[in-house]
RNA sequence: UGGGGAAUGGUGUAAUGGUAGCACGGAUGGCUCUGGACCAUCUAGUUGGGGUUCGAGUCCCUAUUCCCCAGCCA
């Protein structure tokens, strides 16, 4: 794996106990599972993983790690019409990137199709399942409503022999799609609609990304999921809240079969402010080109966060801090950003880059001289060492770091004022040079040679320290600035009849060109993470080429000055 | 109006009948060669109404609000 920081230290005892970990602790106390703890993460390969999946992944793999158990990666690939190998590959990559290891336990529901078929035969022989000739519309009509019981299918009481024969012929491919199903015989008047003779198999003459054309009947989620868990010896089958209504069915199938019976436990899925989380909506953002693919750095997908520059350990720390419960909630994206900043602050090498350059000429500095100044790579981590940064007569500072007529709280450069250039010299602004239109195009400054390295021997203080890049050896770069994809905390909050896409933030991507970066990053490769001092955390983009560097802004630093400005 | 769930500061989450705590956010101050980081202080909460108890966020009753379910999706 390319990531060096993807090992997690999530083993030993749990640091916090949510209600699920409490169940595991209690089970270990009573010996319910012979002190085994075995979970699984069971994605359907029909889309890319997102931050909500990361919560589930960290929960399942985290619990296994903390309790000395195991966690399987299992693809729930029971519907070939929606699933693709591309998604399988991306999911495998993403879970690994997050830092988790399933060892040799990579499984596919499709690997169990024959066993599931045999168990279906068992239920038919017991008189607990039957082949139904109703079509989709008819099944719906027979199901009844929330308040009214359903009607029994006219095919409900076929003989075992006839059912066996018909089911075998379903498998052989004698019937067209949708013409017949295998159904569990439970109770058409059950108050839980899931128990009204649910479908176990449907006919689909569709190639499967793993089993090809071996099957033309495919098991439904309700029928297959508990079987998959049972086969793998799962102890705690953790899923999201919407499956709570399905638990009676999960239990019913396993009880009817009399096989090993894991415990299903449901928790609330993650919602985040300023983004959407449903696979359907994310797919639409991609398909309708509102973003540039699944890994667009504005997407809440794991691949998007990776490209944006989020670290696996930062995402894991977020998963830990949000906790787990059964309450529907929406986490403030600021909490995610906090976790990422906290992690990046410790790990990111610092470097200087000027996003919006303003040319500065140091009038009293020798014309062709270049000095290499010592700079600290990471003040949070002495082992990161130091580097040399070139200083020359012509250099660049941030346009925002100069004001001709500054307000009192502006500490940076203005005419007649003195500031420090980080790791270099104190400079004083003598003159702002303007073009015909009155725009400031360059600054003439003088430096104090006695302040070399950044300190004044006479004890003179300066209010601000600016980052800068010398014209000599400077690298040109494109820098992409990102902000929230939506303008509203809740993108679903739309006027009557309008779509969530009307809340898309038109300024979520801003591309800057002609940015200047110090030569230290010349050899940078995609996914390298940096802190550009005073500007934020950045990540080298995969579009980056030698000679044409591209960086994504992961997050800004906390910006006190911006707050002061906002207050007016 | 059937069934299944859930309600603790602005947000997320603890407290397992015994001082309502932590984190984010916000505010204020300190420090600083990043207006970063760090440190300190402050801010603000048990959905409503009854009841049991020496004592209730927790137990009981009741009301209210929100979420999920009528795919041959998962």
């Amino acid at each position: 794996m390319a990531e060096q920081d993807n090992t997690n230290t999530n083993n030993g005892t749990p640091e916090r106990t949510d209600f699920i970990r409490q169940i595991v602790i209690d089970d270990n106390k009573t010996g319910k599972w012979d002190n085994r703890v075995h979970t699984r993460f069971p994605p359907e390969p029909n889309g890319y993983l997102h931050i909500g999946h990361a919560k589930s992944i960290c929960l399942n793999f985290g619990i296994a790690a903390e309790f000395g158990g195991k966690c399987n990666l299992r693809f729930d690939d029971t519907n070939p019409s929606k699933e693709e190998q591309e998604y399988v590959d991306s999911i495998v990559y993403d879970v690994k990137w997050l830092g988790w290891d399933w060892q040799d336990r990579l499984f596919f529901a499709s690997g169990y199709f024959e066993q599931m078929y045999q168990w279906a035969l068992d239920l038919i022989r017991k008189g607990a399942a039957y082949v139904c000739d109703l079509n989709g519309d008819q099944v719906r009509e027979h199901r009844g409503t929330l308040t009214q019981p359903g009607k029994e299918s006219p095919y409900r009481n076929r003989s075992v022999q006839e059912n066996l024969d018909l089911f075998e012929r379903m498998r052989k491919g004698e019937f067209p799609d949708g013409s017949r199903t295998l159904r569990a015989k439970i109770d058409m008047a059950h108050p839980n609609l899931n128990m009204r003779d649910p479908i176990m198999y449907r006919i689909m003459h569709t190639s499967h990304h793993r089993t090809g054309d071996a099957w033309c009947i495919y098991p439904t989620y309700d029928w297959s999921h508990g079987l998959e868990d049972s086969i793998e010896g799962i102890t705690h089958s953790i899923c999201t809240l919407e499956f709570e209504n399905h638990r009676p069915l999960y239990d019913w199938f396993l009880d009817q079969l009399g096989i090993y019976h894991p415990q299903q436990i449901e928790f609330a899925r993650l919602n985040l402010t300023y983004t959407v989380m449903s696979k359907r909506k994310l797919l639409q953002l991609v398909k309708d080109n509102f973003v540039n693919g699944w890994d667009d750095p504005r997407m809440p997908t794991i691949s998007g966060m990776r490209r944006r520059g989020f670290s696996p350990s930062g995402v894991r720390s977020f998963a830990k801090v949000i906790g787990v419960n059964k309450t529907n909630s929406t986490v403030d994206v600021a909490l995610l950003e906090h976790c990422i900043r906290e992690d990046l602050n410790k790990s990111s090498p610092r470097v200087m880059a000027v996003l919006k350059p303003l040319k500065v000429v140091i009038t009293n500095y020798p014309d062709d001289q270049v000095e290499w100044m010592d700079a600290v790579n990471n003040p949070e981590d002495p082992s990161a060492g130091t580097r040399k940064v070139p200083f020359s007569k012509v250099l660049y500072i941030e346009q925002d770091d100069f004001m001709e007529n500054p307000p009192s709280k502006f500490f940076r450069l203005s005419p007649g004022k003195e500031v420090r250039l980080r790791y270099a010299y104190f400079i004083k602004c003598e003159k702002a040079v303007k073009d015909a239109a009155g725009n400031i195009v360059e600054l003439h400054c003088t430096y104090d040679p006695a302040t070399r390295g950044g300190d004044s021997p006479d004890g003179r203080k300066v209010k601000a320290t600016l980052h800068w890049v010398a014209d000599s050896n400077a690298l040109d770069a494109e820098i992409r600035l990102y902000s929230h994809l939506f303008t509203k905390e809740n993108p679903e909050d739309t006027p009557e009849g309008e779509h969530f896409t009307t809340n898309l933030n038109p300024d979520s991507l801003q591309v800057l060109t002609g940015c200047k970066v110090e030569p230290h990053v010349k050899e940078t490769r995609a996914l390298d993470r940096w802190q550009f001092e005073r500007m934020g955390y950045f990540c080298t983009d995969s579009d980056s080429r030698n000679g044409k560097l591209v960086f994504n802004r992961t997050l800004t630093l906390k910006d006190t000055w911006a707050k002061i400005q906002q207050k007016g």
Side-chain angles (χ1 to χ4, degrees):
Chain A
M1 213 174 303
E3 293 290 332
Q4 66 275 52
D5 54 352
N6 64 347
T7 38
N8 67 78
T9 52
N10 245 346
N11 43 34
T13 44
E15 288 158 34
R16 76 183 298 152
T17 60
D18 49 71
F19 82 101
I20 298 180
R21 276 172 247 250
Q22 193 56 54
I23 290 171
V24 174
I25 289 167
D26 292 344
D27 287 349
N28 279 345
K29 230 173 261 172
T30 63
K32 181 174 178 183
W33 309 103
D34 301 322
N35 293 316
R36 278 187 317 115
V37 175
H38 201 153
T39 56
R40 101 266 96 113
F41 174 63
E44 183 189 13
N46 69 344
Y48 279 65
L49 260 25
H50 55 61
I51 182 75
H53 294 110
K55 175 183 180 181
S56 175
I57 291 165
C58 292
L59 216 210
N60 279 291
F61 280 93
I63 284 177
E66 290 158 23
F67 291 92
K70 295 172 179 171
C71 180
N72 300 352
L73 176 58
R74 178 174 75 226
F75 286 93
D76 207 358
D77 54 349
T78 57
N79 184 356
S81 69
K82 296 187 171 183
E83 297 154 7
E84 295 172 26
Q85 187 61 37
E86 178 198 348
Y87 296 129
V88 172
D89 297 340
S90 76
I91 290 167
V92 163
Y93 192 87
D94 286 349
V95 179
K96 264 189 205 163
W97 177 78
L98 261 185
W100 303 105
D101 181 13
W102 50 89
Q103 297 168 305
D104 57 350
R105 296 181 312 280
L106 172 63
F107 300 124
F108 293 83
S110 53
Y112 311 140
F113 281 173
E114 182 59 37
Q115 173 67 266
M116 291 174 182
Y117 180 82
Q118 293 302 324
W119 274 329
L121 257 22
D122 287 347
L123 285 202
I124 292 172
R125 290 190 199 101
K126 280 188 68 172
Y130 63 96
V131 172
C132 178
D133 300 1
L134 260 25
N135 66 30
D137 288 341
Q138 293 166 325
V139 168
R140 192 181 321 118
E141 283 161 23
H142 281 73
R143 187 153 30 226
T145 68
L146 293 178
T147 52
Q148 289 170 324
K151 293 175 298 201
E152 294 189 348
S153 161
Y155 307 98
R156 197 171 199 260
N157 295 308
R158 292 216 248 233
S159 70
V160 168
Q161 213 35 252
E162 190 183 3
N163 280 321
L164 252 15
D165 174 63
L166 253 14
F167 187 47
E168 193 185 330
R169 291 166 59 196
M170 278 171 64
R171 176 180 185 169
K172 280 184 182 157
E174 293 186 18
F175 311 117
D177 286 5
S179 60
R180 284 184 164 84
T181 56
L182 184 73
R183 295 230 254 163
K185 191 192 280 190
I186 307 181
D187 179 3
M188 288 307 293
H190 200 107
N192 181 343
L193 304 222
N194 294 128
M195 300 296 275
R196 321 245 260 229
D197 288 12
I199 310 264
M200 296 164 62
Y201 279 93
R202 69 280 217 190
I203 300 173
M204 256 196 268
H205 292 266
T206 303
S207 263
H208 185 281
H209 62 100
R210 288 189 66 83
T211 59
D213 296 318
W215 294 86
C216 64
I217 56 172
Y218 290 95
T220 58
Y221 169 87
D222 283 322
W223 163 240
S224 59
H225 202 87
L227 308 185
E228 298 159 24
D229 287 340
S230 182
I231 289 168
E232 295 177 15
I234 300 303
T235 54
H236 305 269
S237 176
I238 300 167
C239 62
T240 43
L241 244 35
E242 67 269 26
F243 292 103
E244 210 153 23
N245 294 325
H246 296 247
R247 177 154 31 94
L249 229 199
Y250 181 101
D251 292 336
W252 189 89
F253 281 128
L254 293 174
D255 288 343
Q256 287 292 315
L257 259 12
I259 58 178
Y260 173 81
H261 191 154
Q263 179 185 2
Q264 176 178 310
I265 303 167
E266 309 86 12
F267 73 97
R269 59 168 3 125
L270 171 67
N271 297 293
L272 263 189
T273 56
Y274 296 105
T275 194
V276 293
M277 208 71 92
S278 87
K279 276 192 193 172
R280 208 200 89 241
K281 295 198 177 78
L282 294 176
L283 180 64
Q284 189 189 345
L285 291 175
V286 173
K287 287 259 155 62
D288 296 346
N289 294 311
F290 290 114
V291 295
N292 304 311
W294 286 101
D295 68 344
D296 186 299
R298 292 166 293 182
M299 291 281 273
T301 50
I302 293 180
S303 52
M305 294 189 291
R306 175 170 55 237
R307 191 170 181 183
R308 173 87 170 245
F310 285 20
S311 56
S313 54
V315 174
R316 263 185 259 126
S317 133
F318 172 70
K320 189 175 292 184
V321 79
I322 57 176
V324 181
N325 61 29
K326 300 189 66 154
T327 313
N328 290 312
S329 62
T330 302
V331 176
D332 191 338
V333 73
L335 182 54
L336 206 210
E337 295 171 351
H338 163 79
C339 293
I340 300 302
R341 280 196 187 94
E342 187 178 47
D343 189 57
L344 261 24
N345 176 49
K346 283 181 269 174
S347 59
S348 299
R350 289 197 199 175
V351 107
M352 291 194 286
V354 175
L355 307 203
K356 296 175 182 168
L358 173 59
K359 186 178 177 186
V360 173
V361 179
I362 311 293
T363 53
N364 59 339
Y365 195 81
D367 281 358
D368 296 319
Q369 181 171 313
V370 175
E371 288 180 275
W372 291 80
M373 319 302 283
D374 288 311
V376 173
N377 286 333
N378 186 349
E380 305 291 321
D381 176 14
S383 74
T386 62
R387 69 184 186 285
K388 298 282 189 183
V389 183
F391 183 89
S392 61
K393 183 184 182 88
V394 175
L395 51 86
Y396 302 95
I397 65 168
E398 211 65 58
Q399 286 171 20
D400 289 347
D401 284 340
F402 177 81
M403 278 184 99
E404 194 174 20
N405 301 299
S408 63
K409 285 175 182 164
F410 186 81
F411 302 155
R412 281 110 97 147
L413 198 59
S414 54
K417 285 232 317 227
E418 188 174 50
V419 297
R420 170 168 39 232
L421 294 184
R422 179 147 232 226
Y423 301 126
Y425 294 102
F426 285 13
I427 61 166
K428 187 193 247 178
C429 177
E430 309 291 353
K431 184 185 173 196
V433 180
K434 298 181 183 178
D435 63 13
N439 302 310
I440 295 166
V441 292
E442 83 179 47
L443 262 26
H444 287 180
C445 299
T446 52
Y447 84 117
D448 176 359
T451 57
R452 191 180 198 282
D455 282 308
S456 167
D458 65 9
R460 186 161 97 245
K461 295 289 181 201
V462 100
K463 285 273 263 184
T465 300
L466 309 187
H467 63 280
W468 51 277
V469 171
D471 185 54
S472 159
N473 296 294
L475 304 171
D476 279 301
E478 170 180 322
I479 297 183
R480 301 170 183 169
L481 307 181
Y482 301 99
S483 46
H484 298 151
L485 228 201
F486 293 90
T487 55
K488 285 194 175 174
E489 267 197 29
N490 175 12
E492 321 283 350
D493 177 19
T494 52
E496 188 65 30
E498 293 211 49
H499 203 247
F500 76 99
T501 52
T502 61
N503 286 327
L504 245 4
N505 177 7
D507 301 318
S508 59
L509 167 64
Q510 193 189 346
V511 178
L512 264 27
T513 55
C515 310
K516 302 289 183 182
V517 190
E518 66 169 275
H520 181 70
V521 303
K522 189 169 186 184
E523 305 297 328
T524 187
R525 305 232 313 260
L527 298 184
D528 285 345
R529 290 187 285 263
W530 307 95
Q531 185 197 99
F532 291 169
E533 294 220 27
R534 303 208 301 137
M535 300 311 287
Y537 298 100
F538 293 78
C539 180
T540 308
D541 191 78
S542 49
D543 290 343
S544 214
R545 297 285 175 274
N546 228 338
K548 200 239 175 186
L549 298 177
V550 179
F551 299 94
N552 297 311
R553 185 176 68 194
T554 310
L555 292 169
T556 60
L557 260 20
K558 278 213 238 156
D559 191 346
T560 308
W561 169 239
K563 256 177 205 172
I564 294 169
Q565 277 181 308
Q566 271 172 19
K567 288 185 200 163

